[in-house]
Amino acid sequence: MRTGAGEMFREISRDDEITSFVNGVLSGESEDFKRRFIAALSHLSAEGWAALEQLVEDTARRKDAEKPVPPGYSSRAELEAEARAEAEDYYQEILLEKMQEAGLSASNDTDGSGGVA
C-alpha cells in the first residue's frame, strides 16, 4: 500500500483462511488440543458431523439467549432493531450533510448513491 489507495489489508477467502489455520496447526510437532481436535474431525461419520453441527447451533443459541437485555426492552432483538434504526437515521443525516457540503441537494439524488453512478 504505497499510494494510500485500496484496502489496508488483503482480504482472503474463507477457504484460504481455513487452509492457513489447518496448515499452521499441522506444522507444529506438539499434540496440543487443536491438532487432536482436527484429527478427531477427520474421523467423523456423516452422523457425527450432524451431531457436531447441532451442538454448535445449540451452543450459539444459548449464548445468544444469555446476552443481557437492558430494562425497557423485551428482547435482545428489539434492542438491536432499535439500534439499527438509529444507526440508519444517523447515516442518512451524515449523508445529507456530505451532499450539502458537495453542493448537491437531496432532490437531485433519487437512488441514495450520493450522485455517484
Side-chain angles (χ1 to χ4, degrees):
M1 189 173 131
R2 289 179 269 157
T3 65
E7 294 296 321
M8 191 166 165
F9 299 103
R10 183 178 66 89
E11 292 207 20
I12 63 172
S13 72
R14 184 71 173 138
D15 286 348
D16 288 344
E17 183 180 11
I18 292 168
T19 300
S20 176
F21 171 76
V22 172
N23 286 340
V25 170
L26 297 179
S27 68
E29 293 295 321
S30 71
E31 287 295 317
D32 66 352
F33 173 74
K34 290 177 187 176
R35 189 179 186 97
R36 291 190 316 270
F37 185 68
I38 290 172
L41 291 176
S42 73
H43 297 288
L44 282 179
S45 65
E47 294 81 16
W49 279 106
L52 182 59
E53 180 179 20
Q54 188 64 51
L55 173 68
V56 169
E57 289 174 356
D58 291 347
T59 301
R61 240 187 317 280
R62 276 195 307 276
K63 188 172 182 168
D64 284 344
E66 293 170 1
K67 291 180 180 175
V69 178
Y73 294 93
S74 61
S75 68
R76 178 77 179 202
E78 180 185 2
L79 170 67
E80 291 175 1
E82 184 178 312
R84 282 188 190 92
E86 288 180 18
E88 177 62 25
D89 289 345
Y90 186 58
Y91 165 78
Q92 292 298 330
E93 183 181 319
I94 292 171
L95 181 61
L96 181 60
E97 288 174 8
K98 298 285 185 187
M99 290 172 57
Q100 288 172 342
E101 288 172 6
L104 299 172
S105 70
S107 61
N108 292 342
D109 180 31
T110 58
D111 66 359
S113 66
V116 178

